[in-house]
Structure formats: structure tokens, C-alpha cells
Amino acid sequence: ARQRRRANNRPSRTSFPRKRASPTPTFRSASSPLTMMKGGPFKMPASAEAEEDKRRKAAIIKIRGWVESHVPAEHLKSRACVIDIQEAQCGDPDCAPIDTIVRIIYEGNCGTVFGLPCEAWEVDKTDLFESMPTEEYFQQWKEGTKARWPPEPENPEPGEPPPGVELRFAVGDRVECCVQRGEDGWKPGTVVSLWYRAASWPTGQYAPYQIKLDDHESLIFAPQDRDNCIRPGPPLEVE
């Protein structure tokens, strides 16, 4: 009985959370209780998590080698470039539960971060190489140029504004715009352009007005030509 009490008071190594390498810390615990084995004292069961952790670390080392094979050797030797490989849990229900994150980091906040939608041991060499930057990017980052990788997608064709629509306001008209709910959410401004469109919007998508608010330097747009969105405003006050 005395031996059993000592065993019960002994802390279990499996009761402490183990930090898993990822950009945002996550914790996984192997909280399996001690099991009484027939014919002897308490023993801890074999842990499948230990094998999983061993496989993950080996996969990360392999991926790091693949990534480093694309980076100029002198960049790695001089430590101008640092490679970091981690797994991260994805909170989006429509994506893989765990992603493998690749960071290629240069001085001056240059480099890139991209993810592969699978655990490290599942990463395929061909898929990784297809995601890697081309040679000229490494040299640009080494020189301190913040070149974006992957490149921005090409903007769609703008198309045409809706035909046959007559807008209520013209450029230069004074208006009030609803920027938040409630009567206090209306701000005065001036229409600066008609049929505004951001370059990345889908083809044929336009906003009726672009407006310069009196109390703000940046421009906004009105998505609809309706009184609950934009309405006639007071004259501009001249000091």
C-alpha cells in the first residue's frame, strides 16, 4: 500500500502540455492516465504521439533541405537568409486542419511566407518546388528589395458600367454618406468621380460614386445610389 501511494503521488510526464511548433502556439497534451499492469507497479503506456513527433521533425528537416537547395549557397553561408519550417493549425473549416508553413527570411523584412495544405510528412517535393520563388527573387531580397512572392494576380478586365443607369449626382455635388449606423453616422463630402472601380474587382463591378469627405483625407465610395447610402448634403462651409 505504501508503494502504491508513492506511485500515485509521482507526477506523470504525460500530464504536461507539449508545445507544438507553429506560427501561433498551439498545445497538444497526452494526458493518458497511468495504467495498472498485471503483476507489477504502475507503468505508462507506449505513446503514439512520440512517434508522430519524431516523424514530424524528420519531415521538417527534409523540407528545409529541399528549400535550401533553391537558395544561393552564399546567402545561407553568410546568414543573409534564414529558412524556417513549421506546422500551423488552420481555423478555417474549408481548409486542411494543419498546414506546413515555409518562411524564407532576409534582412530588411524581405522574403516570403507561403503554406502547403498538409502536414509536414505529407509534403511532396514536386509541390514544394512549384511553390518556390524563382532565382531572381532571392537576389532582389538579398539587395533589400521587397519583391512580392507569390506575385499579385493579374487584374481582371474592367468591363463597362451598367448601361442605361442615370445617376442622381454629378461630379462636384455636395452629398452626405452613411459611414455607420444611426443619424450621427452621416458625413458630408463632395463627389469626385462617377462609376468608381477598384482594379481587383470582378469584371463589370462598379460603384456609382467616389467621394471626398470633408473631415478625412482618403476617398471613399458609395456602393449604391440610394438615399440610405448617399443623399444630398449641405453646402461646403467657407471660412
Side-chain angles (χ1 to χ4, degrees), residues 1-114:
R2 184 176 305 169
Q3 180 182 10
R4 185 174 302 171
R5 282 196 297 271
R6 286 200 298 268
N8 283 332
N9 292 332
R10 185 182 306 126
S12 167
R13 289 178 295 173
T14 61
S15 63
F16 295 94
R18 180 174 60 83
K19 187 175 182 181
R20 182 171 185 162
S22 69
T24 53
T26 56
F27 295 90
R28 302 177 62 193
S29 60
S31 53
S32 303
L34 292 175
T35 305
M36 172 64 82
M37 305 299 291
K38 185 176 181 180
F42 288 92
K43 295 182 181 179
M44 186 170 61
S47 175
E49 187 173 352
E51 288 298 320
E52 178 188 345
D53 188 57
K54 181 178 178 181
R55 179 174 65 171
R56 180 182 61 82
K57 290 179 179 178
I60 286 176
I61 291 173
K62 180 173 63 176
I63 296 170
R64 189 192 311 277
W66 291 342
V67 174
E68 290 179 347
S69 70
H70 276 253
V71 180
E74 61 272 18
H75 294 189
L76 297 171
K77 186 176 181 180
S78 65
R79 297 185 180 274
C81 176
V82 176
I83 307 299
D84 180 58
I85 313 294
Q86 294 184 351
E87 285 184 345
Q89 290 187 342
C90 179
D92 187 343
D94 295 328
C95 74
I98 295 180
D99 292 343
T100 299
I101 308 300
V102 178
R103 289 183 173 87
I104 303 174
I105 306 168
Y106 281 79
E107 295 180 1
N109 200 28
C110 295
T112 187
V113 179
F114 62 88

